């Protein structure tokens, strides 16, 4: 009798899998460029990304985050990293900002170089994925303790910044000047209207003001003492 070699099933949109089985099938399905496990269900993302509805916004918000990370020891930025949140959720957010484990952050880097646990800040660029980003992903991030979650709904010209309070996400409100200020990363200030109207020079100028604030200096002292 001839034995037929066993090959695992390919990754399929809508599969209900554990993280272990998701990774096993993902690794055996090279034609799938990006897939996420959200609440135990597989979502295969389109390989092609549009310029103005994803690529450009992604670059701009990443540039804002990088400008903060570049001069903030103990803070690290990653673009589209694999994040193992829990047994039912393995995601690839558009960007994450973490406090390093050495500085007292809540994530760890696994031996195979993946983020494990909940990043302090997650950013998603939502065009075609708005329903997923504001429901399934939001629920998974909230339950696992992602402290701040930014969703940029590009087609609606809207950016929402959620903060975790007592186990629930509450929307962060801008100050009297229209500036959103992170509670987890002091000095990370965002001029929302300027971002939405593509005035990046002003976005970076407002961030510079945040980096010169007393709250940022206190944060740096705290990170240095941890």
């Amino acid at each position: 009798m001839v034995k037929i070699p066993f090959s695992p099933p390919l990754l399929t949109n809508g599969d209900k899998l554990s993280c272990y089985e998701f990774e096993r099938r993902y690794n055996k399905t090279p034609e799938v460029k990006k897939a996420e496990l959200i609440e135990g269900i597989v979502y295969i993302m389109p390989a092609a990304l549009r310029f103005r509805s994803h690529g450009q916004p992604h670059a701009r918000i990443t540039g804002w985050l990088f400008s903060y990370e570049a001069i903030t020891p103990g803070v690290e930025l990653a673009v589209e990293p694999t994040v193992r949140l829990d047994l039912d959720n393995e995601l690839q957010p558009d960007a994450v900002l973490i406090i390093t484990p050495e500085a007292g952050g809540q994530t760890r880097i696994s031996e195979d170089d993946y983020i494990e646990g909940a990043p302090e800040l997650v950013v998603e660029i939502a065009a075609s994925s708005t329903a997923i980003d504001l429901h399934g992903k939001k629920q998974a991030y909230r339950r696992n303790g992602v402290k701040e979650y930014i969703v940029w709904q590009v087609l609606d010209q809207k950016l929402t910044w959620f903060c975790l309070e007592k186990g629930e996400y509450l929307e962060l409100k801008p100050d009297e000047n229209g500036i959103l200020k992170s509670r987890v990363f002091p000095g990370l200030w965002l001029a929302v209207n300027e971002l939405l109207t593509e005035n990046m020079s002003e976005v970076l100028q407002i961030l510079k003001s945040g980096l010169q604030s007393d709250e940022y200096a206190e944060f740096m002292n705290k990170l240095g003492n941890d």
Side-chain angles (χ1 to χ4, degrees):
M1 182 170 127
V2 178
K3 290 187 177 180
I4 301 175
F6 172 77
S7 67
L10 299 179
L11 198 64
T12 304
N13 211 26
D15 284 342
K16 297 185 72 173
L17 304 174
S18 67
C19 269
Y20 171 80
E21 183 63 18
F22 170 73
E23 286 191 14
R24 190 169 78 101
R25 296 191 190 187
Y26 200 169
N27 291 332
K28 296 290 185 180
T29 318
E31 63 272 20
V32 173
K33 302 305 180 184
K34 181 176 180 180
E36 297 182 301
L37 187 69
I38 305 171
E39 302 292 54
I41 299 174
V42 174
Y43 291 83
I44 296 177
M45 308 302 175
L49 295 174
R50 298 185 185 279
F51 177 69
R52 296 195 184 280
S53 61
H54 195 281
Q56 194 174 64
H58 193 186
R60 286 174 173 162
I61 206 159
T62 300
W64 167 70
L65 291 169
F66 176 76
S67 298
Y68 183 85
E69 180 222 30
I71 65 168
T72 311
V75 169
E76 293 184 342
L77 168 68
V79 175
E80 296 185 345
T82 291
V83 177
R84 294 169 174 160
L85 272 179
D86 60 23
L87 294 177
D88 294 317
N89 291 279
E90 186 166 316
L91 306 172
Q92 287 182 260
D94 289 310
V96 303
L97 196 65
I98 66 170
I99 298 173
T100 63
E102 297 76 15
Q106 61 185 25
T107 61
R108 64 178 294 272
I109 306 301
S110 67
E111 290 184 1
D112 53 351
D113 201 29
Y114 293 117
I115 294 175
E116 294 184 342
E120 280 76 15
L121 171 67
V122 168
V123 178
E124 297 282 7
I125 306 300
S128 60
S129 64
T130 296
I132 297 173
D133 293 333
L134 289 175
H135 294 89
K137 282 188 182 181
K138 182 183 173 187
Q139 177 178 315
Y141 289 141
R142 177 194 60 77
R143 192 178 66 251
N144 281 279
V146 172
K147 293 181 178 180
E148 295 188 330
Y149 179 36
I150 296 174
V151 182
W152 185 352
Q153 298 166 250
V154 179
L155 300 181
D156 295 327
Q157 280 289 287
K158 179 180 179 182
L159 184 142
T160 308
W161 192 325
F162 297 102
C163 291
L164 191 64
E165 290 189 15
K166 298 180 179 179
E168 297 296 333
Y169 272 144
L170 301 180
E171 186 175 342
L172 185 66
K173 298 298 183 182
D175 67 10
E176 64 276 8
N177 297 312
I179 309 303
L180 289 173
K181 299 179 178 181
S182 173
R183 297 178 182 177
V184 178
F185 295 96
L188 184 63
W189 295 3
L190 179 62
V192 180
N193 289 336
E194 285 68 23
L195 179 69
L196 297 179
T197 56
E198 304 180 3
N199 184 1
M200 286 304 297
S201 62
E202 184 63 18
V203 169
L204 295 179
Q205 187 60 43
I206 294 298
L207 175 60
K208 182 179 178 180
S209 297
L211 295 172
Q212 295 171 342
S213 66
D214 292 340
E215 65 186 68
Y216 179 76
E218 291 174 8
F219 183 53
M220 285 297 89
N221 289 333
K222 180 177 181 297
L223 288 179
N225 292 329
D226 281 344

